[in-house]
Amino acid sequence: MKPTATLLVSSELPPALEPLRDLALNLRWTWRRQTVDLFRALDPRAFAASGENPIAMLSQVPSGRLAEAARDETFLAQMRSEVGNLRTYLESGRWFQRTVPAAAQEEGGPAVAYFSMEFGITPTLPIYSGGLGILAGDHLKSASDLGVPMVAVGLLYQWGYFSQSLDRDGWQQENYRHNDPAHLPVEPVEGPDGGRLRVAVTLPGDREVTIGVWRAQVGRIPLLLLDTDLEGNDEQARQITDRLYGGDHEHRIVQEIVLGIGGVRAVEAFAAATGTPAPTVFHLNEGHAGFSGLERVGRLMAAGAGFAEAVAEVRAGTVFTTHTPVPAGIDRFEAGQLRGYLEADDAGISRLIPALPVEPALALGIEEGGDVFNMAHLGFRIAQRSNGVAALHGAVSRAMFQDLYPGFDVPEVPIGAVTNGVHRRTWTSAPMDDLFTKAMGEVDISSLSDWSALSTLTDHELTEARDALRADLVTMAREHVRASWRRRGAVDAELAWTDTILDPGALTIGFARRVSTYKRLTLMLRDPERLRRILLDPDRPVQIVVAGKSHPADRPGKEFLQQLVRFADDHGVRHRIAFLPDYDIRMASVLIAGADVWLNNPIRPEEASGTSGMKAVLNGGLTLSISDGWWDEMKDETAGWTIPTAEVSDPSERDRIEAEALYEILEQSVIPRFYERDARGMQRAWMTTVRSSLVTIAPRITAARMVRDYATELYLPAARAASAFAADPSLAGEFTRWTEGVRAAWPEVAVTEVRLEGAEGGAVTTGTEITLTAAVELGPLHDRDVLIEAVLGPIGDNGEIIDAQLIPLQREEDGRWAARVALAAPGEVGCTVRVTPQHPVLASRAELGLVATA
C-alpha cells in the first residue's frame, strides 16, 4: 500500500545531552577515540547507520534511548569528561603559545588564513578528492594541536567528489551523492545582524552572486566553507559550488573566484562578526586561491595605495605552496577568459574587484606570449614566500619556474620546500597507538623528534598488532569485493569465492592513490606471468590490495585502472589480488594500517610528495618505493627498500627496467625477510626493520613537524614582513620608488674587472688564502642598494660553476670591492663576481630578477 503522505520523524536531544551536539560539531572527534566511543555507546546501531557521523546520528537515536542515556550517570560522567577534555584542549596554551613571542601571536587570534580547494578531514564532510585535500585536512588538525592561530577557507560542495563503482567490464563509473548540510558537521555563521553571514561577488553582466558562509570547527581552527546554493541566486550561480573538479574551464574559473575573492571577503566579515583579529598571513594551498591576492591588492588600492605599492604589501604577507611537478597539473586559462571576468570599465578598472586595474593584474599571471594566464605564476608573483612539498619537489619546481627569475641559476630560484606530513592521531590505528603509548607514555609524540623509545617494542607486541591489522584489512577487502561484484551485476550464488579471498597470514602489499598515468598503477603488471608466480608461490604467497580513483576526465588513467581490475578478476589470481572501489578516508585507514609493505612506483620526479606511504609507516608498514617525493630525502635501507630509477630516455624501456627491479627486490629481499622465522616462529629480521622504520622515519613524516616548519620558516617571517608595512604606512611607497629606481638604473650596473691576488700562475695548494677584488660600476645607486658577492665553486661538466659558495665583498679604501677566500678542496675551481639588489623588504636576492655579473 502506497502512502498518501510522508513525514520525517527525528528525535530531540534532552537538555542533559545537549553537550553531545557541541562534541559532534567539533571535528576533534575525528582524531580522539574516546569521543567516538562515547557516540557509539549512545546507540551502536544508529552510529553505524549514520556512517559513523555523530551529527547525523543524534536525530536517529530513538527518544527512549535518549531518555535512558540522560538518566545514566555513567554515560553522563563520560560525556562530561569528554566535554571537559575538549574545553581544556581549546583553551590551554600549546606549542605555538609556548615557543613564539607574545608580540608575534596576534593576541591569540587567527593570524593565518589558509585557502584550499578541498579539505579531507572526515568522510562525514565529503569535500575532498584525494591527496591535496587530505594534506589540507591534516594541516588543520596539526595546526590545531600546535595552537597555530589560523582560519581556513574552502567550498561547501553540494555533491562533493564522486563515489566510484565498476561496471561488469571493470570500467570506472562515477556517482554523486547530495550533501545535506543538516547532516554535516557544519553550522551557518551568524552575521552582525543576527542573520546568516553572507558575502557576494559580481560576475559579468552585473550578475551578483551571493555566498553563504558555513563553519566547520576543526579543533581550534574554524574552517569557513562557502556556498552559492542559495535562494536569490540564479540557477547558474547556484551550481558554482555544485561539485569538486567536475566542470569545464569556465566552471573552474568561477569556483576559484568564489574561493579566492569571496574567501577574502568572508574572512574579513567573519573577523568582524566574531571580534577576532583579521589574519596577517595568507597561505594559498595551490594556485586555486590565487585570486585572493588580487582581491587584497584591490582593497589596498581602494584605500589609496598605488598598484605597485599594494602588490608589495600583499606579497609580504602571502605564502604559496605548489603541489605539482608537471606543467599539466597547473590551472591555465585563456587570458581573454579572465579579462572577461575581471571586466574592465572605461578607465580599465575591474568591476569584479573594485579599484583593481585589469591589465596590470593580468600581467601577474600571464605566461610569456600573452595568451595564457597561469595560476601558478600568479601564486609565485603574488607571494613573497613559496615552497614545494618535498626536497626533490622543491628542486624540480625551481627548474620549472626558473624563467620567472631571469639571470639566476636554478638553485637560487626562491622556491623552498616543506615536506608534507600526516596527522599522527588520525592515521595511527588503535593497536599501534596503544603500543606508542606503552613505549612513550601519555604524551603527544608528534611534538617530539626522538622516538627511540619505540625500539623497546618487542617482536611479540609488534607481531600481535600487525597480525590484527592485516586480518582487519582482509575482512574489509572481502566485504568490499563482494559488494563491488554485486554492483557489477553478479548474484550471491556466484560470489562464494569472495568469502575466502586473501590470507590473514600472507605478506600483504598495499597500493592506493589517485589513478593517474605517472603513478603507474600497472607497473606491477609489466610481466604478468612473473607477477602470477610471486602471488601464487605455495610456500611464500604474496597478496596485493589496490584502491584509487581516476579523475572523471582522465581516460588513460581509467584504462590503467581497467587493466588492473581485469587482472584481479582472473580466476587464477583473484584470491591474491583485490581492487577495492570508492577509496576514501575510512577505507584508507584500514588499508594503510593492514599493509605490510606500501608500494609506490611513480615516474621520478613526477610525484610531488605522496603521503599514503607515510601513514603506513605509522602503523608498522614498510616502504617499497621509487626514490621520489618524500622517500627521496628520507630513504633508509634499514627501514625499507628503494626501487632504482632507470636513467633512459625511452619510457617503455624505463618501465621495463624498473619493473624488473621491483620484481627482483620482492623476490630476493622483501619476501624472504617476511617469511624468515627463528626457532620460536618469530619474524626477527622483519620486526627489526619495522622498529627501524618507526624510530628513524616516523618522526619525520608527521604533519606536526610539517606545520612547525611552515610556522617557523614561512608564517612568522611573512607575519613580520606584513607587520612592517602595517607599522609604517610609508614603507610601501618607499619600497616601490626604490624598486623603480633600481630597475631604471640597472643597465648602468656592471662588474668591470675581477682580480685574483695570491693565485699567480692559476694554481695554488689547498688551504691557500687568496684575495679577490672587483671594480664595480653602480651608476646612480648607492652601496646600500646592492649586494656584491664572489661566486666560487667547482666547475661542472658544462663549464658552469656548481655548488656555488657566495662570499660578500666589502668596499675598500681604493674604491674596489674585495674579499679573502680560503681554498680548502682540491680540483678546478671557478669564480666570478655578481651584483644583486638589496633591501630589507626583499626576502630573496632573486625576487626582482636583476643580476649583473663580471
Side-chain angles (χ1 to χ4, degrees):
M1 183 180 300
K2 290 186 177 181
T4 57
T6 59
L7 292 172
L8 178 63
V9 180
S10 59
S11 297
E12 185 174 345
L13 281 178
L17 298 183
E18 274 298 322
L20 288 175
R21 194 175 305 279
D22 295 331
L23 288 173
L25 284 170
N26 191 309
L27 292 172
R28 189 195 177 215
W29 62 260
T30 64
W31 69 95
R32 181 167 169 82
R33 278 193 281 159
Q34 295 89 331
T35 310
V36 173
D37 291 344
L38 176 71
F39 284 107
R40 184 179 287 111
L42 177 62
D43 189 329
R45 181 176 297 179
F47 188 68
S50 69
E52 301 186 353
N53 179 348
I55 200 67
M57 75 164 283
L58 291 177
S59 62
Q60 299 176 24
V61 179
S63 57
R65 171 56 190 146
L66 292 176
E68 179 186 353
R71 297 188 300 269
D72 185 341
E73 282 303 321
T74 301
F75 181 85
L76 292 175
Q78 185 183 0
M79 180 188 71
R80 286 192 290 267
S81 174
E82 286 306 296
V83 170
N85 182 278
L86 177 61
R87 184 178 297 115
T88 299
Y89 174 86
L90 296 176
E91 296 174 356
S92 62
R94 307 190 74 80
W95 170 83
F96 189 85
Q97 288 70 36
R98 293 192 300 267
T99 59
V100 176
Q105 293 186 31
E106 288 294 316
E107 301 176 356
V112 180
Y114 182 91
F115 287 71
S116 184
M117 186 67 94
E118 50 176 304
F119 288 90
I121 299 165
T122 166
T124 63
L125 185 60
I127 56 171
Y128 64 95
S129 69
L132 181 71
I134 301 298
L135 181 280
D138 283 5
H139 194 112
L140 298 195
K141 292 174 182 178
S142 289
S144 174
D145 289 342
L146 295 169
V148 177
M150 180 177 287
V151 58
V153 185
L155 301 181
L156 184 65
Y157 300 99
Q158 302 157 37
W159 298 90
Y161 201 53
F162 69 90
S163 59
Q164 178 195 49
S165 60
L166 303 173
D167 67 13
R168 190 74 186 212
D169 202 35
W171 189 256
Q172 174 177 288
Q173 305 294 301
E174 294 98 28
N175 309 285
Y176 290 86
R177 303 186 186 113
H178 186 258
N179 289 332
D180 182 355
H183 295 154
L184 302 179
V186 298
E187 289 185 300
V189 177
E190 187 175 294
D193 60 355
R196 183 177 178 187
L197 185 67
R198 299 179 182 221
V199 295
V201 296
T202 302
L203 297 181
D206 290 326
R207 290 176 57 231
E208 183 171 279
V209 176
T210 303
I211 303 167
V213 184
W214 299 84
R215 173 177 180 162
Q217 192 67 30
V218 186
R220 300 162 71 110
I221 310 297
L223 167 57
L224 307 183
L225 296 173
L226 312 182
D227 172 23
T228 64
D229 186 23
L230 305 175
E231 290 186 13
N233 283 337
D234 61 39
E235 189 59 29
Q236 191 175 6
R238 296 184 73 156
Q239 295 304 312
I240 292 175
T241 55
D242 59 351
R243 60 191 65 192
L244 176 60
Y245 305 144
D248 57 15
H249 274 190
E250 295 283 349
H251 189 254
R252 178 66 69 88
I253 289 172
V254 293
Q255 280 193 334
E256 295 184 1
I257 285 172
V258 168
L259 176 65
I261 299 172
V264 170
R265 296 173 184 178
V267 166
E268 182 184 67
F270 175 77
T274 58
T276 54
T280 54
V281 175
F282 287 73
H283 183 178
L284 315 184
N285 188 44
E286 253 307 345
H288 308 127
F291 295 135
S292 64
L294 300 185
E295 167 70 7
R296 290 162 59 216
V297 168
R299 285 170 173 266
L300 290 173
M301 294 187 71
F307 179 77
E309 290 92 334
V311 170
E313 186 166 346
V314 166
R315 277 175 48 79
T318 304
V319 174
F320 171 57
T321 299
T322 176
H323 286 265
T324 178
V326 291
I330 296 169
D331 277 352
R332 300 165 73 243
F333 305 118
E334 291 181 8
Q337 282 182 301
L338 287 188
R339 192 171 280 110
Y341 279 99
L342 291 175
E343 200 178 16
D345 62 17
D346 293 340
I349 304 301
S350 173
R351 291 187 173 90
L352 175 62
I353 304 175
L356 182 75
V358 170
E359 293 307 317
L362 283 173
L364 293 172
I366 292 291
E367 295 180 3
E368 187 175 354
D371 296 328
V372 174
F373 189 91
N374 185 310
M375 295 301 289
H377 287 198
L378 174 61
F380 288 117
R381 287 174 174 148
I382 207 68
Q384 194 173 37
R385 291 165 179 82
S386 58
N387 68 285
V389 291
L392 178 60
H393 179 231
V396 170
S397 298
R398 288 190 285 276
M400 276 180 65
F401 299 105
Q402 182 185 16
D403 290 348
L404 298 181
Y405 308 92
F408 288 88
D409 293 337
V410 168
E412 286 194 280
V413 170
I415 302 173
V418 175
T419 301
N420 282 349
V422 297
H423 186 250
R424 190 193 75 79
R425 290 203 179 277
T426 293
W427 296 108
T428 304
S429 61
M432 288 302 298
D433 193 39
D434 290 341
L435 291 184
F436 288 155
T437 301
K438 178 181 183 298
M440 303 184 73
E442 289 286 353
V443 297
D444 182 7
I445 66 174
S446 297
S447 62
L448 304 177
S449 57
D450 181 3
W451 290 17
S452 57
L454 295 181
S455 63
T456 63
L457 295 175
T458 67
D459 292 347
H460 176 75
E461 289 168 333
L462 288 171
T463 298
E464 188 175 52
R466 293 295 317 143
D467 286 351
L469 294 171
R470 192 185 312 108
D472 288 345
L473 171 55
V474 168
T475 298
M476 181 194 73
R478 289 171 178 174
E479 293 171 354
H480 277 268
V481 170
R482 187 179 186 87
S484 174
W485 273 99
R486 284 199 190 108
R487 287 191 294 270
R488 294 171 71 180
V491 296
D492 285 343
E494 56 184 324
L495 293 178
W497 61 273
T498 62
D499 294 333
T500 57
I501 63 169
L502 306 180
D503 178 350
L507 171 61
T508 303
I509 297 173
F511 185 106
R513 52 190 42 82
R514 182 169 55 86
V515 182
S516 56
T517 51
Y518 80 86
K519 293 179 184 285
R520 295 192 298 185
L521 169 66
T522 56
L523 188 70
M524 67 181 77
L525 303 181
R526 184 75 186 195
D527 185 342
E529 292 310 311
R530 190 169 181 181
L531 178 60
R532 286 176 190 272
R533 290 197 299 273
I534 291 171
L535 296 175
L536 301 177
D537 187 300
D539 300 316
R540 303 187 304 183
V542 175
Q543 56 198 20
I544 305 176
V545 182
V546 182
K549 298 177 179 179
S550 187
H551 187 283
D554 182 6
R555 186 172 184 86
K558 290 182 178 181
E559 290 171 349
F560 274 27
L561 193 152
Q562 186 181 45
Q563 291 174 39
L564 188 285
V565 170
R566 286 176 170 174
F567 183 84
D569 285 352
D570 186 278
H571 286 258
V573 296
R574 66 186 184 185
H575 62 301
R576 287 282 179 257
I577 182 168
F579 177 80
L580 312 184
D582 209 20
Y583 188 51
D584 67 0
I585 290 175
R586 189 173 290 113
M587 180 187 291
S589 66
V590 179
L591 204 167
I592 56 98
D596 299 298
V597 173
W598 198 260
L599 176 61
N600 184 43
N601 48 227
I603 300 169
R604 187 181 194 271
E606 296 185 15
E607 178 83 277
S609 177
T611 56
S612 296
M614 294 176 171
K615 298 160 193 164
V617 167
L618 291 175
N619 289 281
L622 300 179
T623 305
L624 173 56
S625 178
I626 288 284
S627 186
D628 198 9
W630 69 274
W631 184 247
D632 183 74
E633 67 197 78
M634 299 187 194
K635 58 181 177 286
D636 183 334
E637 296 309 310
T638 71
W641 299 269
T642 302
I643 304 167
T645 299
E647 302 290 348
V648 296
S649 57
D650 178 44
S652 179
E653 180 66 5
R654 175 204 61 215
D655 288 355
R656 184 193 67 77
I657 295 171
E658 293 182 6
E660 179 76 21
L662 169 60
Y663 298 137
E664 185 77 14
I665 293 171
L666 285 172
E667 292 168 336
Q668 301 302 319
S669 298
V670 178
I671 297 170
R673 190 176 305 181
F674 181 85
Y675 283 104
E676 179 185 335
R677 301 290 196 276
D678 67 7
R680 297 171 54 203
M682 301 301 293
Q683 298 171 285
R684 297 291 183 197
W686 187 266
M687 292 308 167
T688 296
T689 311
V690 169
R691 277 188 292 271
S692 179
S693 177
L694 289 171
V695 170
T696 63
I697 305 296
R700 304 167 64 189
I701 50 87
T702 66
R705 185 272 311 151
M706 174 188 73
V707 174
R708 288 197 304 269
D709 289 348
Y710 272 109
T712 56
E713 298 172 19
L714 295 168
Y715 294 163
L716 290 175
R720 287 192 293 268
S723 296
F725 280 97
D728 182 0
S730 67
L731 179 58
E734 182 274 322
F735 176 68
T736 299
R737 289 188 295 274
W738 176 86
T739 302
E740 292 170 349
V742 168
R743 290 192 184 281
W746 205 253
E748 301 180 51
V749 176
V751 181
T752 58
E753 182 186 38
V754 177
R755 296 179 191 165
L756 293 178
E757 300 172 5
E760 289 74 15
V764 296
T765 59
T766 56
T768 299
E769 190 173 70
I770 63 172
T771 299
L772 185 150
T773 67
V776 181
E777 298 290 341
L778 295 180
L781 299 181
H782 301 284
D783 290 0
R784 66 176 179 273
D785 296 325
V786 297
L787 178 62
I788 300 175
E789 299 168 301
V791 183
L792 191 76
I795 301 296
D797 295 338
N798 60 358
E800 300 281 338
I801 296 173
I802 59 174
D803 298 327
Q805 180 183 6
L806 302 176
I807 304 167
L809 274 63
Q810 302 297 323
R811 172 83 80 167
E812 300 286 288
E813 291 182 1
D814 61 1
R816 294 177 67 84
W817 295 77
R820 295 188 64 78
V821 180
L823 301 172
E828 185 179 12
V829 175
C831 66
T832 188
V833 172
R834 73 174 188 187
V835 186
T836 55
Q838 176 177 255
H839 190 281
V841 169
L842 295 176
S844 162
R845 54 171 59 87
E847 266 188 61
L848 300 184
L850 299 176
V851 61
T853 58

